[in-house]
Amino acid sequence: MSREVKLSRIDSTLTDLSYPVSREVAAESFEDVTVTFADGEANLGELISETPADEFASFEELRDEINNTLPREAVGEPYQSEGEG
């Protein structure tokens, strides 16, 4: 069964794994998860498989690597900060 999670709520999903974890195991574990973001969606397993790290020591490390692979449109309009206003 496929799962869906918002990018802003990804931490709770990533904590389902036991760390440290290899990239392959993490990618396989989340191949049924779709991440939704500001302008679209992506498969979480595929995002993980595109990261350069071979292993993740913690969910924070995995989350940071995922964030580094996201396209710019995943986090909102270019050059805008949600803290402005």
Side-chain angles (χ1 to χ4, degrees):
M1 181 154 87
S2 182
R3 299 180 284 168
E4 188 173 292
V5 63
K6 290 183 179 185
L7 182 60
S8 62
R9 308 240 185 239
I10 200 169
D11 288 5
S12 62
T13 300
L14 299 179
T15 58
D16 289 346
L17 293 178
S18 296
Y19 293 87
V21 65
S22 70
R23 180 179 58 223
E24 290 102 19
V25 169
E28 288 174 12
S29 297
F30 297 121
E31 64 187 8
D32 67 332
V33 178
T34 300
V35 178
T36 59
F37 37 79
D39 190 21
E41 60 185 36
N43 178 276
L44 182 55
E46 289 176 17
L47 288 174
I48 294 170
S49 68
E50 294 172 5
T51 63
D54 292 326
E55 185 174 271
F56 309 102
S58 65
F59 88 87
E60 294 94 349
E61 186 177 311
L62 176 53
R63 179 195 59 216
D64 292 346
E65 289 291 332
I66 291 168
N67 285 334
N68 288 335
T69 63
L70 291 172
R72 172 173 280 187
E73 54 272 5
V75 292
E77 293 296 321
Y79 311 112
Q80 286 191 356
S81 167
E82 290 190 26
E84 294 178 7

